[in-house]
Amino acid sequence: MEWEIVIGIETHVQLSTESKIFSGASTDFGAMPNAHACEVDLALPGVLPVLNKDAVEKAIRFGVATQATINQRSIFARKNYFYPDLPKGYQISQMEIPVVEGGTIKFHVAESEKTVNLTRAHLEEDAGKSLHEDFIDMSGIDLNRAGTPLLEIVSEPEMRSSDEAVEYAKTLHSLVRWIGICDGNMQEGNFRCDANVSVRRKGDKTLGTRREIKNLNSFKFLQQAIEYEARWQIEQIEDGLAIVQATVLFDPDSGETRLMRTKEDAHDYRYFPDPDLLPLVIDDDWLKTTRASLPELPKSKARRYQDDLELSGPDVASLVSSLEAATYFEATLNHFDVSGIKPAAKSIANWMNGELTASLNRSQKDFSQCPIAPETLSVLIKRVLDNTLSTKLARLVFEELWSGDSTVDDIILKKGFKQMSDSGEIESFVSQVIEQHPQQVADFKAGKEKALNSLVGQVMKLTKGKANPTQVNEILKSKLS
């Protein structure tokens, strides 16, 4: 506990454009190696880069969404280094003046809100990929990914635990999908994190020497890598050894980090302005149009759900965790009259955060792929609110809806699920239960309130879950008073 972890994260977000950032080649994933590599990507003599306007548009959207400064004049630079999957011998990126500066990401860890400041977000091109598995004593190069547009988002080193780092990454992942700039597919490498980790003794204000863990493409690996790296650094220092700035890789099989190379600093890359690209100029009209095109952001939506619909914080956090969830919630809510909107909102939230989310997770789907349409869920909830169905019976109807294509009312009719609401009919079942369970009756009359729950359960069992639980409670109390 005498040590403090210091974490900053660099996130490479692949922008969802149809073509690459400086060429017209396709960004489609999964093609044969080098099928989507054109003359610009191959760095053939005489070719020139042309900036993709859509990539810039998406960078602006991110800057606006995070309340950052949009530099209306920014420049591209050449970042020089040699690697086999970088044909030019340099990467086109931004150094001195990025398109986005500053901004914040806010998220919750346990019950506390945390704000992490962003240093910058800059545009750059991705490199290709080295292939080792299919070759003996050599490697292949696939340049399909070379030139794919990236927005590199750099945070300040303000996170102090792996939990904070994971929640930051999840919030950022949700945001870039929400505003439509990235599909967030981590398996395909479209959202990957580099974690800069250092340690220092509690109370020390000087930053320790950091090591950068590269290319973490899952939240689980991000957490495991940070925790291992922090423990390793602490052990090194306690053994009297110095930490050397380095780039490391995380091995998910061993759960350990391993040295990749000693870390370069900016001067090692010999940055200079790219002479083939003019400065990027974003005029006021472009900025204004982009700002107006953004959807309502999660924070604003969450505040509206709490203020207007009186939903709780945990309910709201789940509903705005993704644009798909929020869209599904609002589409379902639109099928209710304004007069009953608040109880309907609470019921929708309960179903979405309960049965629906569990079923979607088991099926590895999100709300945009939900087999139960918003209109269908609204009918199911209405049947509970109008006492046609008990909550227990509604769950059975839900299971039928998930596995078939029937309507709510057809299932109720076919399965005989309609809730029993006739007082006389319920009273006859209550009388049977009272007669058959004298001990629970005696316990209730002796002041044991839990005995009533047992009697209610017996009535529900006898009626196969069809009796209205509220009426059962009322009739039982009346008969036993």
Side-chain angles (χ1 to χ4, degrees):
M1 297 302 293
E2 63 180 296
W3 293 93
E4 180 178 63
I5 308 173
V6 178
I7 305 161
I9 295 180
E10 300 170 15
T11 307
H12 290 87
V13 172
Q14 181 174 314
L15 300 176
S16 52
T17 58
E18 292 185 6
S19 58
K20 297 182 180 181
I21 190 168
F22 298 119
S23 80
S26 171
T27 56
D28 284 349
F29 181 82
M32 291 290 291
N34 301 305
H36 293 161
C38 70
E39 294 84 353
V40 175
D41 309 322
L42 296 170
L44 296 183
V47 299
L48 292 172
V50 178
L51 180 58
N52 185 329
K53 184 178 180 181
D54 191 28
V56 179
E57 174 87 17
K58 287 174 166 54
I60 299 171
R61 288 172 74 84
F62 177 78
V64 172
T66 54
Q67 295 81 52
T69 298
I70 309 295
N71 285 320
Q72 293 185 250
R73 185 184 185 278
S74 61
I75 59 173
F76 286 93
R78 291 184 178 181
K79 181 181 180 182
N80 296 273
Y81 65 95
F82 172 78
Y83 206 70
D85 56 18
L86 192 69
K88 294 191 294 288
Y90 62 85
Q91 176 191 33
I92 302 177
S93 183
Q94 293 187 307
M95 180 58 179
E96 289 89 354
I97 309 175
V99 65
V100 175
E101 276 190 282
T104 58
I105 297 292
K106 296 185 178 183
F107 54 92
H108 282 84
V109 179
E111 299 300 318
S112 302
E113 184 177 65
K114 172 84 177 180
T115 299
V116 169
N117 291 295
L118 301 178
T119 309
R120 58 192 278 143
H122 60 265
L123 287 164
E124 64 182 23
E125 60 180 343
D126 206 348
K129 183 179 181 181
S130 297
L131 307 175
H132 309 290
E133 293 81 3
D134 299 329
F135 302 90
I136 299 173
D137 298 328
M138 65 179 69
S139 293
I141 300 296
D142 179 8
L143 294 173
N144 282 342
R145 200 173 67 183
T148 299
L150 299 178
L151 186 67
E152 181 173 347
I153 302 163
V154 183
S155 83
E156 290 291 310
E158 295 176 346
M159 287 160 273
R160 297 293 178 264
S161 70
S162 62
D163 287 339
E164 288 187 2
V166 168
E167 288 307 314
Y168 164 86
K170 284 182 176 180
T171 303
L172 186 59
H173 182 262
S174 174
L175 178 63
V176 297
R177 293 177 66 237
W178 188 289
I179 61 177
I181 69 171
C182 174
D183 65 12
N185 190 319
M186 300 180 78
Q187 287 71 35
E188 294 179 4
N190 298 351
F191 184 97
R192 54 191 192 267
C193 297
D194 301 340
N196 289 287
V197 180
S198 64
V199 298
R200 63 186 178 188
R201 295 189 184 275
K202 286 278 181 70
D204 192 347
K205 301 302 180 186
T206 304
L207 292 174
T209 302
R210 74 185 188 277
R211 301 214 314 167
E212 182 182 20
I213 312 169
K214 292 289 288 184
N215 292 332
L216 297 164
N217 65 349
S218 88
F219 302 123
K220 178 183 176 181
F221 295 163
L222 175 64
Q223 183 148 32
Q224 291 175 340
I226 289 171
E227 290 176 356
Y228 175 84
E229 179 63 26
R231 287 195 304 271
W232 182 87
Q233 290 188 26
I234 290 168
E235 290 171 2
Q236 290 289 106
I237 296 170
E238 289 181 338
D239 289 343
L241 302 172
I243 303 298
V244 177
Q245 185 173 327
T247 299
V248 301
L249 296 175
F250 176 68
D251 184 346
D253 295 327
S254 67
E256 299 176 349
T257 56
R258 57 182 174 82
L259 183 67
M260 181 182 178
R261 61 176 180 266
T262 55
K263 177 65 178 174
E264 299 91 346
D265 286 314
H267 64 267
D268 294 314
Y269 292 117
R270 306 186 314 281
Y271 281 96
F272 63 85
D274 193 309
D276 292 334
L277 288 161
L278 292 170
L280 168 60
V281 177
I282 301 168
D283 62 28
D284 292 338
D285 287 342
W286 193 3
L287 195 54
K288 183 179 178 181
T289 302
T290 304
R291 193 183 301 275
S293 71
L294 279 177
E296 183 182 16
L297 296 174
K299 193 172 183 64
S300 170
K301 214 175 261 292
R303 191 182 305 114
R304 181 163 59 82
Y305 290 171
Q306 286 183 294
D307 293 347
D308 297 350
L309 302 175
E310 299 179 2
L311 292 175
S312 68
D315 281 344
V316 166
S318 297
L319 295 176
V320 301
S321 62
S322 70
L323 183 59
E324 292 85 0
T327 301
Y328 188 95
F329 171 73
E330 294 188 8
T332 308
L333 195 63
N334 284 339
H335 292 286
F336 290 85
D337 294 332
V338 174
S339 58
I341 205 79
K342 290 178 183 177
K346 179 60 180 172
S347 294
I348 297 168
N350 289 342
W351 279 95
M352 287 183 63
N353 296 333
E355 279 76 9
L356 265 177
T357 294
S359 298
L360 288 169
N361 287 343
R362 284 193 295 269
S363 304
Q364 296 184 320
K365 296 178 178 179
D366 61 37
F367 279 99
S368 68
Q369 304 162 310
C370 185
I372 298 178
E375 181 181 5
T376 302
L377 181 63
S378 73
V379 174
L380 180 61
I381 291 170
K382 286 174 183 177
R383 295 298 173 264
V384 175
L385 294 177
D386 67 13
N387 292 320
T388 299
L389 289 172
S390 65
T391 302
K392 181 178 180 180
L393 290 172
R395 290 194 182 102
L396 296 177
V397 173
F398 175 86
E399 291 173 6
E400 293 285 329
L401 290 169
W402 189 268
S403 58
D405 56 2
S406 297
T407 67
V408 173
D409 292 331
D410 284 346
I411 293 169
I412 293 171
L413 184 63
K414 180 181 177 182
K415 297 288 185 178
F417 282 161
K418 187 172 183 180
Q419 183 168 246
M420 185 187 300
S421 300
D422 180 86
S423 297
E425 190 176 5
I426 293 174
E427 188 172 350
S428 68
F429 285 106
V430 169
S431 297
Q432 289 183 52
V433 168
I434 290 173
E435 183 179 342
Q436 294 168 3
H437 298 85
Q439 184 58 55
Q440 284 96 322
V441 171
D443 288 344
F444 176 73
K445 289 183 176 180
K448 296 180 180 179
E449 291 291 330
K450 288 185 178 179
L452 183 68
N453 294 334
S454 176
L455 291 168
V456 170
Q458 292 299 330
V459 175
M460 297 306 294
K461 183 178 180 181
L462 198 60
T463 61
K464 298 181 180 178
K466 294 181 182 179
N468 185 315
T470 303
Q471 288 180 271
V472 172
N473 266 279
E474 292 172 353
I475 293 171
L476 267 169
K477 287 179 180 178
S478 174
K479 282 186 167 291
L480 297 177
S481 60

